[in-house]
Amino acid sequence: MMPAAPSPVPRPWLASYPPGVPADVTIPANTTVASLMEADCFRYGKLPAYLSLGTPLTYDELEIQSRYFASWLQQQGVRTGTRVALMMPNILQYPIALFGVLRAGGVAVNCNPLYTPRELEFQLRDAGAEVIVVLENFAHTLMEVRNLPRLRHIVVTSVGALLGEFKGRFVDMVLRYVKRRVPRWKLEHTTDFREALRLGSHKAFVPPSLGPQDLAFLQYTGGTTGRPKGAMLSHGNIVANLTQVDEWMKEVVVEGAELVVTALPLYHIFALTANCLTFMHKGAANLLIINPRDLDAVVKELSRYPFSVITGVNTLFNALLHHPRFARLDFSTLKVTLGGGMAVQREVAERWKQVTGNPVLQAYGLTETSPAAIINPLSVLTFTGSIGLPIPSTEVVIRDEGGHDLPLESPGELCIRGPQVMVGYWNQPEETRAVFFPDGFLRTGDIGKLDAAGYVTLLDRKKDMIKVSGFNVYPNEIEDVVARHPGVREVAAIGVPDPHSGEAIKLFVVKRDPALTADQLLQYCRHEMTGYKVPRHVTFREDLPHTNVGKVLRRALKEEA
């Protein structure tokens, strides 16, 4: 007997949908990310797909070189389901390698180049990776990993490898001998990336049997709450998400005419889908930023191109706004600023609108949802604080600890169901069962609420909520208020044990005004917030710890406290 179809839930957000956006999408049958990418490359041909350090990679070139890499992978025994690790920042080799892996039928395993040897060893062993493509700047990390019995092939490349002979040599020379960004390394049985392409060009590529049910990515969660887990994202999951987002933005994004700033790392799920895949599907050019922490270089790159879209996190927007030359850029072509990954603070959003003339549109998603699930309409002109509306074919409910649906405006755990939701966690059936309700809704671990118009407001991570004298306090709210103080550049709030109230709120603050004192800040908080929300402790720091995409690491601050 076939299992009963999940019961539908009320969808009040449909009444708030922009004109022309359907309630549900029709996902192309038998379509994979690989077949979609091939069609896009043939469709957009001579247009630039990616730009790095002034060098373009056209769609035609992407198709040819990824086909060569796919052929080389097949020569090394890569078949449908073989895991291939990618350990690179935003360079031209990344999309070539990524699409080569997918076209060969492999499963892409994205690795943070800043991993320690311990972290890298865990991920490669857990995934069972048989091939890795690594930038030489990080090969020394791989060199220190000793026990990888399944890893058979190592492909090494350099930043300048695909930038042209003269420019490439110059860039690599500067990185190796002037800036000393390439630590010494020695690995046996490696293949140069360009050599792999050359060898792949000598043998015809044979497309494998591949379907929507096959895995495209093992995308590992950050592990900030414990052991990292590999979210299994199928070709069907990713194609569904691309179809959903395509319908959401079709009235604003013009095919073949957009330039999207890609400062967030492509190995992270946000930029991977939102930039690399979504905008490529629209024939856009991705301006690749190799190191977003080098703000001078970022602003210089932005000054060279008439960009129309930029994606980022709150910390990136805040850092750009504090750069002395950012406000002098030409923003006349900018029409979409998409914020995700963490809450965008109102103070940052309002200053962004003032400087650029463009509002920050918040979106929400998880590694487990491919990632887009909730997005503000692209027609929104002001920052609302909401993360938006569930996108087509996506259902959202707010539930209590017992799994019961809560009424509108009631805070509870945000739960999501839709075709973009992952298959499960790699080799972790218990973890998979724990994160799904029996009716297929994914437990996000985030606290939010849903209003009558269907808009979702995110309050905080469930694990970060602070209990003060029995009251729930959300760090995001505290940080949002404190960030408005003119003397504050950046802030994080955590809960610390307190003998009287159970927990008390502690602030970690990076000053904008060197003269700012703790007493001044606390007096401001007393004026802006009710008593139980007022912090008890303030610590000033030169900087705050961040993840690779710029999220503040509250866990590290809690360990310090």
Side-chain angles (χ1 to χ4, degrees):
M1 179 181 293
M2 293 291 292
S7 299
V9 299
R11 296 199 279 177
W13 50 84
L14 296 181
S16 300
Y17 265 21
V21 175
D24 297 285
V25 295
T26 300
I27 302 167
N30 301 318
T31 301
T32 66
V33 182
S35 64
L36 205 63
M37 182 278 304
E38 290 171 1
D40 292 335
C41 285
F42 289 124
R43 182 176 186 179
Y44 298 116
K46 303 300 181 185
L47 293 177
Y50 296 90
L51 297 159
S52 179
L53 299 177
T55 299
L57 178 74
T58 68
Y59 282 88
D60 279 341
E61 291 168 333
L62 177 60
E63 190 282 321
I64 293 168
Q65 294 187 41
S66 65
R67 174 160 37 89
Y68 289 167
F69 192 63
S71 174
W72 181 83
L73 288 172
Q74 289 181 331
Q75 294 171 40
Q76 313 314 309
V78 171
R79 299 292 182 265
T80 300
T82 303
R83 276 79 67 200
V84 180
L86 305 177
M87 192 173 177
M88 292 172 281
N90 293 358
I91 57 176
L92 295 177
Q93 293 90 316
Y94 179 86
I96 293 171
L98 172 67
F99 293 123
V101 170
L102 297 177
R103 295 179 79 177
V107 180
V109 182
N110 282 304
C111 299
N112 182 351
L114 300 181
Y115 273 158
T116 64
R118 178 190 62 81
E119 292 168 324
L120 180 60
E121 179 181 350
F122 170 81
Q123 186 165 318
L124 295 180
R125 283 179 61 83
D126 189 71
E130 298 184 25
V131 182
I132 187 171
V133 185
V134 60
L135 183 69
E136 65 174 359
N137 304 52
F138 311 103
H140 67 286
T141 304
L142 182 61
M143 184 178 68
E144 295 182 39
V145 178
R146 302 297 181 189
N147 190 20
L148 296 173
R150 298 198 63 170
L151 190 65
R152 298 183 288 112
H153 301 285
I154 299 171
V155 181
V156 182
T157 191
S158 67
V159 170
L162 300 184
L163 299 180
E165 185 174 356
F166 177 76
K167 183 193 290 186
R169 286 183 179 179
F170 177 76
V171 168
D172 287 341
M173 182 187 70
V174 170
L175 288 174
R176 290 168 186 161
Y177 305 114
V178 180
K179 295 187 176 182
R180 300 189 181 279
R181 299 280 178 82
V182 184
R184 292 184 179 276
W185 61 275
K186 184 178 181 180
L187 290 164
E188 296 182 356
H189 310 300
T190 64
T191 302
D192 180 78
F193 189 79
R194 288 170 296 190
E195 177 66 5
L197 296 181
R198 187 188 69 79
L199 292 172
S201 69
H202 292 166
K203 188 171 182 179
F205 166 63
V206 180
S209 176
L210 199 61
Q213 74 286 348
D214 290 303
L215 292 187
F217 296 95
L218 274 188
Q219 192 73 19
Y220 279 74
T221 59
T224 56
T225 58
R227 184 184 180 191
K229 301 180 289 290
M232 296 186 287
L233 301 177
S234 68
H235 283 270
N237 289 149
I238 300 296
V239 170
N241 208 217
L242 295 178
T243 306
Q244 292 166 311
V245 174
D246 189 44
E247 287 289 349
W248 196 257
M249 65 183 191
K250 63 184 178 182
E251 297 300 321
V252 176
V253 174
V254 179
E255 286 192 36
E258 310 294 354
L259 179 67
V260 54
V261 178
T262 303
L264 298 181
L266 289 172
Y267 57 79
H268 187 272
I269 191 66
F270 182 7
L272 173 65
T273 303
N275 294 53
C276 180
L277 300 178
T278 294
F279 281 96
M280 192 183 124
H281 188 44
K282 302 297 288 186
N286 270 273
L287 175 60
L288 300 180
I289 304 297
I290 297 176
N291 179 13
R293 291 180 174 85
D294 185 352
L295 290 176
D296 287 338
V298 173
V299 173
K300 184 177 180 180
E301 279 290 275
L302 297 184
S303 70
R304 299 174 61 189
Y305 298 96
F307 59 96
S308 56
V309 180
I310 183 170
T311 63
V313 294
N314 185 80
T315 47
L316 175 65
F317 298 143
N318 192 31
L320 287 173
L321 289 167
H322 280 93
H323 192 280
R325 295 197 301 276
F326 180 71
R328 295 183 230 155
L329 296 177
D330 180 5
F331 300 105
S332 60
T333 57
L334 179 60
K335 58 185 180 181
V336 177
T337 301
L338 190 65
M342 63 185 296
V344 177
Q345 294 168 346
R346 183 172 295 276
E347 168 69 14
V348 173
E350 290 175 350
R351 284 194 291 124
W352 183 271
K353 174 71 178 293
Q354 182 182 5
V355 170
T356 69
N358 191 252
V360 177
L361 304 177
Q362 287 200 101
Y364 174 85
L366 302 168
T367 300
E368 292 87 344
T369 59
S370 301
I374 302 168
I375 310 176
N376 268 285
L378 272 60
S379 57
V380 169
L381 299 178
T382 59
F383 182 77
T384 65
S386 165
I387 56 174
L389 305 167
I391 58 177
S393 294
T394 303
E395 296 174 291
V396 164
V397 293
I398 307 295
R399 288 183 169 167
D400 63 17
E401 283 289 340
H404 305 105
D405 291 356
L406 294 171
L408 296 175
E409 299 290 356
S410 297
E413 184 171 13
L414 177 61
C415 302
I416 297 171
R417 187 169 66 187
Q420 74 271 47
V421 175
M422 68 171 183
V423 177
Y425 291 122
W426 177 254
N427 289 336
Q428 296 199 46
E430 293 297 326
E431 292 278 2
T432 300
R433 281 191 288 270
V435 81
F436 281 102
F437 282 109
D439 59 358
F441 273 97
L442 174 78
R443 305 184 65 159
T444 68
D446 286 316
I447 303 297
K449 59 183 181 179
L450 180 69
D451 68 19
Y455 281 85
V456 180
T457 299
L458 196 65
L459 300 174
D460 226 307
R461 288 293 293 167
K462 187 176 179 180
K463 64 181 177 62
D464 288 336
M465 189 173 66
I466 305 168
K467 280 275 192 180
V468 180
S469 299
F471 292 98
N472 293 340
V473 179
Y474 301 103
N476 280 344
E477 179 189 0
I478 307 301
E479 293 166 1
D480 190 59
V481 171
V482 175
R484 297 178 206 169
H485 190 288
V488 172
R489 180 186 292 268
E490 191 174 17
V491 59
I494 65 168
V496 294
D498 184 272
H500 303 292
S501 57
E503 282 189 296
I505 301 163
K506 180 172 183 176
L507 297 180
F508 292 86
V509 176
V510 178
K511 295 181 183 180
R512 181 186 301 172
D513 178 2
L516 179 66
T517 67
D519 286 342
Q520 290 172 335
L521 196 55
L522 292 176
Q523 185 177 355
Y524 165 82
C525 290
R526 293 186 191 101
H527 184 266
E528 296 292 329
M529 293 181 283
T530 190
Y532 69 87
K533 296 180 182 179
V534 174
R536 293 269 187 88
H537 313 281
V538 178
T539 295
F540 292 111
R541 295 173 51 117
E542 292 297 317
D543 53 39
L544 298 179
H546 297 94
T547 67
N548 57 306
V549 293
K551 295 182 185 179
V552 174
L553 272 170
R554 288 180 182 153
R555 182 189 64 172
L557 295 173
K558 287 178 181 178
E559 291 172 353
E560 177 183 319

